Amino acid sequence: EEISAGLLCELTSENAAALRSRLPWLNPAPLGRQTSFGFGDRLGTATPGHLAALRATGLENEIAPVLAQQSVRENQRTGRTPQQVLEDAIWGIFQTGWRRPWGADADHVKEISHLAPFVGAGYTFFTIDPGDHVDNQAQSDGLETLRMKAAGQPWAVLQTTLEEALGRYRSQHIRLDGLTLQFGEETLLRAIVKYGRAIAHTKNIAHHLRDQMAGLPFDLEMSVDETDTPTSVYEHFFIASELRRLHVKIVSLAPRFVGKFQKGVDYLGDLNRFAADFAKHVAVMKHFGSYKMSIHTGSDKFSLYPIIARLSGGWVHVKTAGTSYLEALRVMAQKDPGLFRRILAFARTRFETDRKTYFLDARLSKVPGGEEVNDEDLPALLDHFDSRQVLHVTFGSILDAFSREFSGFVCDHEVDYARALEAHFSRHLAPFGRLETAGGLTP
């Protein structure tokens, strides 16, 4: 049988650019308020498995994937650039024949200086994280302290005055779906002090981003999830209202929810309390009607997905990151126990250092040494709370120390890894296919 001629090319930036110029579906696009799912990929090889999960669940038309999603912190720890992250996703898309819209997220942008590499690479989704400017002490400050701090907010940047802000909110009875908000002085001052500087910082980055994008469309998210205390429904309303007043158009907002959202494990907290609180946040979102809820640290929160899907009506974006890397380790535990044991031993030595930028309950004393576990029981460590978190947060150190061996293993077990990701993410995605409304469709 005669085989038609083909062209064999290396996976270079030049070839990726050439393909992007000819095949428009290889370019990311803004996704708007459509139901979306962020598939973080720290190895650069997970896109085929991610897309397989969307196809396996039959949700490829209902959920838009964000296939290039990496934060500045993640890029620093993996030694990758925004350009490399985007191109890795593009090669996976090309390989699998995906032709539907997809996004590329510059995640957790904290400074104006972070923008240029993502803009230059062609990203279409920017997550501004002003968490360093959130005043966590405001949660417990007394009234007099709040008054003093409120007077010192950057009112010129916020384009208003304290007196105007107090009058604007305290004069309102805000009627939402099943909820009425009335700001008292202390509640309003707490919102101003806690988030005023964060809103000003978001505005500054957003305006610089708009200039750098030079008229190109993009999605913008504000994230305050990595803070010490939950975002109250009043604070959520204040943030959304102020962003609108300042003409900062967001597509999604990530509050800090009640309970614990920790890396690579299920939700820690009271499900009924979460549902009641989330319903209030959804009511605020629906009031403004211009953005969707964003769930950060969203991987492996299996107990929450049905609640989030039902209450949000599909106006939601879920972000995952390290769970894809953990599934590579699961395959490694099955196929190369020796390499997995060495990585586990190394992770144990790095945990106390690498955990410092995360909120975790994991205890190293609960993580067995690899030599204590039989080969057939090694994969189960990826389902164990403490060992899963220890392996998760040490990813940067592991990928640095085992770079060649890790990439070689994943390359040699490409099919096994894709199948593992398909099974794992099908569990994540399936609850969002059971929506009773058409909320997941772009309005």
Side-chain angles (χ1 to χ4, degrees):
E1 182 179 351
E2 186 174 325
I3 301 176
S4 59
L7 183 64
L8 187 63
C9 301
E10 294 185 1
L11 305 186
T12 63
S13 293
E14 293 75 16
N15 286 334
L19 282 176
R20 289 174 70 181
S21 68
R22 292 165 172 79
L23 306 176
W25 57 84
L26 293 181
N27 293 293
L31 303 175
R33 289 184 68 203
Q34 182 180 1
T35 307
S36 52
F37 204 94
F39 295 96
D41 179 9
R42 290 171 177 169
L43 302 177
T45 53
T47 293
H50 293 156
L51 294 176
L54 277 170
R55 288 170 167 139
T57 53
L59 296 175
E60 60 267 44
N61 290 320
E62 298 178 43
I63 298 178
V66 177
L67 297 171
Q69 174 200 284
Q70 208 92 322
S71 68
V72 176
R73 178 176 66 188
E74 286 174 318
N75 280 331
Q76 290 171 341
R77 293 190 176 184
T78 60
R80 299 165 77 202
T81 66
Q83 186 76 33
Q84 288 172 323
V85 172
L86 184 66
E87 289 174 2
D88 286 337
I90 287 170
W91 293 122
I93 292 165
F94 185 63
Q95 173 184 337
T96 59
W98 182 268
R99 296 197 177 188
R100 295 177 177 85
W102 61 282
D105 180 7
D107 198 15
H108 286 285
V109 170
K110 290 178 173 286
E111 303 294 341
I112 293 168
S113 60
H114 293 163
L115 292 172
F118 293 100
V119 173
Y123 281 64
T124 55
F125 186 155
F126 296 82
T127 300
I128 298 177
D129 177 0
D132 293 341
H133 301 268
V134 172
D135 187 341
N136 290 296
Q137 299 303 314
Q139 189 77 8
S140 56
D141 283 338
L143 183 57
E144 288 306 315
T145 301
L146 291 172
R147 286 170 175 163
M148 179 188 67
K149 287 184 173 182
Q153 294 297 303
W155 293 111
V157 178
L158 294 171
Q159 299 177 329
T160 188
T161 66
L162 175 58
E163 292 72 23
E164 289 173 350
L166 291 172
R168 185 161 52 247
Y169 289 97
R170 292 192 67 189
S171 63
Q172 294 188 62
H173 288 264
I174 304 158
R175 292 178 173 81
L176 310 177
D177 184 12
L179 180 68
T180 299
L181 302 182
Q182 184 175 6
F183 281 89
E185 181 188 10
E186 186 169 340
T187 299
L188 178 54
L189 287 174
R190 202 174 306 282
I192 290 171
V193 171
K194 189 174 179 181
Y195 291 108
R197 295 183 187 280
I199 293 168
H201 189 65
T202 299
K203 175 200 166 188
N204 285 337
I205 295 181
H207 285 189
H208 278 272
L209 174 60
R210 183 183 59 196
D211 291 343
Q212 291 187 35
M213 291 296 285
L216 293 174
F218 61 91
D219 290 332
L220 183 67
E221 174 173 305
M222 179 186 181
S223 164
V224 290
D225 70 297
E226 291 190 355
T227 55
D228 294 345
T229 57
T231 306
S232 74
V233 64
Y234 284 91
E235 292 160 355
H236 178 170
F237 186 94
F238 175 76
I239 291 169
S241 179
E242 288 299 289
L243 291 176
R244 173 173 286 188
R245 183 181 63 79
L246 292 166
H247 305 291
V248 178
K249 184 179 179 181
I250 57 171
V251 161
S252 48
L253 177 66
R256 164 74 153 82
F257 296 109
V258 296
K260 294 181 180 181
F261 283 71
Q262 296 191 3
K263 302 298 181 182
V265 296
D266 206 344
Y267 176 73
L268 301 173
D270 185 303
L271 293 180
N272 290 328
R273 184 185 176 204
F274 172 83
D277 186 68
F278 188 72
K280 294 176 183 179
H281 284 289
V282 169
V284 174
M285 175 194 71
K286 289 181 177 179
H287 171 82
F288 289 99
S290 56
Y291 61 91
K292 57 191 173 185
M293 300 296 294
S294 186
I295 315 297
H296 282 217
T297 314
S299 61
D300 307 295
K301 303 301 181 287
F302 299 110
S303 64
L304 294 187
Y305 299 144
I307 297 171
I308 293 169
R310 173 173 54 85
L311 293 178
S312 69
W315 302 126
V316 67
H317 176 60
V318 178
K319 288 198 182 188
T320 73
T323 196
S324 295
Y325 159 79
L326 290 174
E327 288 308 297
L329 286 175
R330 187 191 300 276
V331 177
M332 185 183 295
Q334 295 166 345
K335 303 293 184 179
D336 192 340
L339 177 56
F340 177 80
R341 281 192 171 90
R342 288 194 287 124
I343 286 176
L344 176 61
F346 181 75
R348 287 167 55 86
T349 69
R350 291 294 311 172
F351 177 64
E352 295 302 337
T353 298
D354 293 350
R355 71 174 299 171
K356 292 178 181 177
T357 53
Y358 296 97
F359 296 100
L360 300 172
D361 284 345
R363 292 165 293 178
L364 189 58
S365 61
K366 297 288 185 179
V367 181
E371 70 282 354
E372 303 171 33
V373 184
N374 296 328
D375 284 2
E376 62 270 22
D377 296 325
L378 286 176
L381 291 178
L382 275 303
D383 299 316
H384 181 271
F385 179 89
D386 299 279
S387 57
R388 188 171 177 83
Q389 288 204 326
V390 167
L391 288 165
H392 187 293
V393 302
T394 55
F395 74 91
S397 297
I398 290 171
L399 293 178
D400 182 52
F402 294 88
S403 175
R404 183 172 298 178
E405 290 174 280
F406 210 127
S407 60
F409 174 84
V410 174
C411 182
D412 291 341
H413 296 83
E414 178 183 359
V415 174
D416 294 319
Y417 184 37
R419 287 173 178 167
L421 290 173
E422 178 183 338
H424 188 57
F425 279 99
S426 291
R427 290 185 64 200
H428 286 72
L429 296 168
F432 296 92
R434 296 195 289 267
L435 300 177
E436 296 179 359
T437 70
L441 303 179
T442 305

